[in-house]
Amino acid sequence: MHITFCCTDTKAEPWLAGLRAALPQATVTAWQAGAPPAEHAVVWAPPQQFLDEQHGLKALFNIGAGVDALLKLKLPPGVKVVRLDDAGMSVQMAEYVCHAVIRHFREFDGYEADVAEGKWSYRKPRLRADYPVGVMGLGVLGERVARALRQFDFPVHGWSRTPKAVEGVVCHAGIDRFDSFLSSCRVLVNLLPLTPETHDILNRKTLARLLPGGYLVNVARGAHLVDDDLLALLDSGHMAGATLDVFRTEPLPAGHAFWKHPKITVTPHTSARTLRDESIAQIAGKILALERGDPIAGLVDPVRGY
Ligand code: OXD
């Protein structure tokens, strides 16, 4: 069995060593143009040439959470696209989002600024009931985030394409319920997959439906958000702020208005990192299952886009 590794911006050696240790019966190589084709491929943002050379590929294992970059390419016919299920990402995502929401809700930035000036300040506690949080996307990551927010007693709403049930979370489903979902929330957390339907979904019209003083946490894709629309709503005061981990262009270009905006916190696409050992163990288990002809979790539907 031949497994090839083709991950842009990722150091190959530790992955190759880990895959070889987990699957000693396999030949594991880093892809080079013109190399013999493989049965399984571990990828992140591979070039089209890589896919064009893979005749006989059974499965493509994407080592990030989102498969949008992969699905933009022309895939070998019949290949299975497999995403990581959790693999240590959902707890990181829950940490990141709860940190962002609590930091805003508890006004920790304000306290930090006061302390920096030597001020012992007091702010009236905000009411949790006034800060309903909406989670867009209730997949593995979104569900974990919604549950974690419930642990802090925030009222939590969820929105997904198809109906979902998460204990303690008011779940809304389908485009018909999108507006009522948005108008129920003051804080909005985006965890949607990027598809043609969700491109630009965070825009002036949709964000304006949030309760006044709205706050956005975007941890999905930069192309979900219309940057200028967020800036306009922050300037008008309808929105209070945003924490953004993902951007239309990454790295975020020098001079972009988000870098220094006083109401925006920027992080460098770090909300939930791929954990190598967990991911290798999961991918190896799935390769063995596929070789035995057993079903596996995490299959992507290329038409649906996630
Ligand atoms: C992603 C990731 O898909 O970081 O964005 O895993």
Side-chain angles (χ1 to χ4, degrees):
M1 170 170 54
H2 178 194
I3 301 170
T4 183
F5 180 86
C6 181
C7 296
T8 309
D9 296 335
T10 309
K11 238 167 121 194
E13 264 323 310
W15 281 87
L16 299 176
L19 286 163
R20 285 179 188 133
L23 295 166
Q25 67 280 46
T27 305
V28 183
T29 57
W31 176 74
Q32 286 177 339
E39 282 96 54
H40 298 282
V42 177
V43 298
W44 178 251
Q48 182 64 52
Q49 184 188 356
F50 165 78
L51 295 167
D52 293 344
E53 288 183 4
Q54 302 304 317
H55 316 292
L57 192 67
K58 296 181 191 165
L60 275 165
F61 293 87
N62 187 65
I63 65 163
V67 289
D68 44 296
L70 189 55
L71 296 185
K72 274 198 224 138
L73 301 170
K74 187 167 176 293
L75 302 180
V79 73
K80 289 183 168 53
V81 177
V82 189
R83 60 180 146 65
L84 291 173
D85 318 303
D86 197 332
M89 278 191 201
S90 71
V91 65
Q92 298 177 68
M93 199 53 106
E95 249 163 30
Y96 181 99
V97 171
C98 289
H99 174 262
V101 172
I102 291 167
R103 178 171 157 195
H104 172 62
F105 172 68
R106 295 288 306 273
E107 301 184 82
F108 286 133
D109 284 345
Y111 284 112
E112 203 175 301
D114 290 350
V115 167
E117 289 179 20
K119 273 199 226 149
W120 183 269
S121 59
Y122 176 79
R123 287 174 163 74
K124 190 164 173 269
R126 289 172 164 173
L127 295 180
R128 233 160 266 270
D130 290 340
Y131 280 79
V133 185
V135 179
M136 296 167 75
L138 291 175
V140 176
L141 300 181
E143 181 177 336
R144 178 79 182 242
V145 165
R147 287 187 194 279
L149 288 162
R150 278 299 300 144
Q151 289 294 311
F152 290 103
D153 290 348
F154 288 103
V156 180
H157 294 254
W159 183 74
S160 52
R161 203 176 64 103
T162 53
K164 296 271 166 71
V166 183
E167 205 190 329
V169 175
V170 184
C171 291
H172 309 244
I175 201 68
D176 297 347
R177 296 288 307 275
F178 191 42
D179 287 352
S180 59
F181 159 76
L182 290 170
S183 44
S184 312
C185 308
R186 200 177 305 276
V187 179
L188 186 65
V189 178
N190 178 35
L191 276 151
L192 289 174
L194 183 66
T195 66
E197 288 76 45
T198 65
H199 210 273
D200 292 343
I201 194 167
L202 301 171
N203 56 50
R204 194 181 299 238
K205 199 165 134 248
T206 54
L207 292 173
R209 293 197 194 280
L210 295 176
L211 295 169
Y215 193 89
L216 173 68
V217 181
N218 190 17
V219 280
R221 285 291 179 262
H224 284 128
L225 172 67
V226 180
D227 296 1
D228 286 343
D229 289 5
L230 172 66
L231 291 168
L233 289 164
L234 291 172
D235 289 348
S236 76
H238 182 71
M239 289 192 64
T243 292
L244 306 175
D245 187 49
V246 288
F247 306 92
R248 288 198 171 241
T249 305
E250 293 182 7
L252 182 63
H256 190 290
F258 288 168
W259 275 116
K260 294 223 165 102
H261 197 291
K263 295 181 180 169
I264 295 180
T265 299
V266 165
T267 55
H269 199 142
T270 197
S271 51
R273 305 292 295 272
T274 298
L275 301 179
R276 196 171 53 230
D277 292 349
E278 281 86 338
S279 305
I280 289 173
Q282 192 179 103
I283 292 169
K286 288 185 181 183
I287 289 178
L288 292 174
L290 286 177
E291 288 294 315
R292 288 193 304 268
D294 290 345
I296 56 165
L299 283 180
V300 170
D301 174 349
V303 175
R304 197 178 60 168
Y306 58 96

